[in-house]
Amino acid sequence: MHIRDAEIADLETITEIYNDAVANTTAIWNERLVDVDDRAAWLADRLRAGYPVLVASDDDGVLGYATFGDWRPHDGYRHTIEHSVYVRGDQRGRGIGSALMTELISQARTIGKHVMVAAVESDNAGSIALHERLGFVETGRMPQVGMKFGRWLDLTFLQLILDDRPTPA
Ligand SMILES: CC(C)(COP(=O)(O)OP(=O)(O)OC[C@H]1O[C@@H](n2cnc3c(N)ncnc32)[C@H](O)[C@@H]1OP(=O)(O)O)[C@@H](O)C(=O)NCCC(=O)NCCS
């Protein structure tokens, strides 16, 4: 298994992984399934912004992906990003999420980002454990800010400070 930049040919599996999360999990709070064109536009947006979209792959194809984008659109947040990481259902628990996140964190540091935010559904114990293992610390919980599958969802924020710059200059 290795981590590399996503390519157009990866979009079919990325779309499947995304749609599986939409249809079956509270990891993502969307309800609309997407097609490959939607993910192609998303990939192009990320690359245009200078942000990575990484995949973990082996001879079997894409096993998972991870990316980040701006956390909030206002100027003052430009050193802060929010990421997402998804591993194919049959490949979880093999270190793939950790490998994707380790490379994503490294690339965030390389382009000078200062804080990485994870917004995780509060019952997603696997994701919270993954992030804590990587050094993220919980900074807040927002009860009932979301809904899916007929119930309210709580949101847990975790963050990783990426460098020790005393000022943003
Ligand atoms: C969360 C997710 C990305 C983790 O990826 P993964 O490849 O399964 O994770 P790893 O095998 O790298 O596990 C790394 C660590 O995370 C923790 N962890 C991962 N899954 C866990 C689970 N189900 N329960 C408890 N801890 C878990 C463990 O500490 C693990 O380390 P260990 O195996 O040495 O104990 C993956 O389960 C996934 O894609 N889930 C669905 C989508 C999702 O929730 N994405 C995150 C949205 S915020």
Side-chain angles (χ1 to χ4, degrees):
M1 186 265 292
H2 68 290
I3 309 294
R4 59 170 173 77
D5 290 329
E7 297 164 2
I8 300 291
D10 301 323
L11 287 171
E12 197 168 318
T13 310
I14 288 174
T15 304
E16 284 170 16
I17 294 170
Y18 178 94
N19 281 338
D20 176 60
V22 169
N24 300 309
T25 79
T26 52
I28 182 163
W29 298 2
N30 284 337
E31 293 162 9
R32 186 180 58 88
L33 300 180
V34 300
D35 58 17
V36 171
D37 286 349
D38 177 279
R39 291 299 84 186
W42 160 84
L43 175 63
D45 278 353
R46 288 290 154 103
L47 299 185
R48 201 175 305 118
Y51 291 158
V53 177
L54 303 176
V55 295
S57 73
D58 67 6
D59 295 344
D60 216 22
V62 171
L63 309 171
Y65 69 91
T67 184
F68 56 68
D70 292 326
W71 182 48
R72 303 190 76 195
H74 316 292
D75 295 337
Y77 294 110
R78 66 181 172 277
H79 294 301
T80 301
I81 47 174
E82 179 177 343
H83 65 279
S84 46
V85 53
Y86 294 93
V87 174
R88 225 168 71 188
D90 61 346
Q91 298 290 332
R92 293 179 191 151
R94 295 182 49 212
I96 295 166
S98 297
L100 282 164
M101 283 301 303
T102 300
E103 179 58 23
L104 201 65
I105 290 166
S106 165
Q107 294 204 16
R109 288 196 169 109
T110 299
I111 64 171
K113 295 299 178 184
H114 184 57
V115 176
M116 209 159 164
V117 173
V120 185
E121 193 264 313
S122 299
D123 284 341
N124 191 345
S127 178
I128 290 173
L130 165 77
H131 285 95
E132 286 179 341
R133 236 183 117 93
L134 290 163
F136 283 74
V137 294
E138 186 177 320
T139 49
R141 280 193 185 224
M142 300 179 73
Q144 300 185 16
V145 290
M147 57 146 292
K148 197 169 181 182
F149 304 140
R151 64 182 178 88
W152 298 123
L153 301 176
D154 300 349
L155 188 64
T156 293
F157 283 108
L158 301 102
Q159 72 172 61
L160 181 69
I161 296 184
L162 296 164
D163 64 26
D164 57 5
R165 270 180 290 176
T167 71

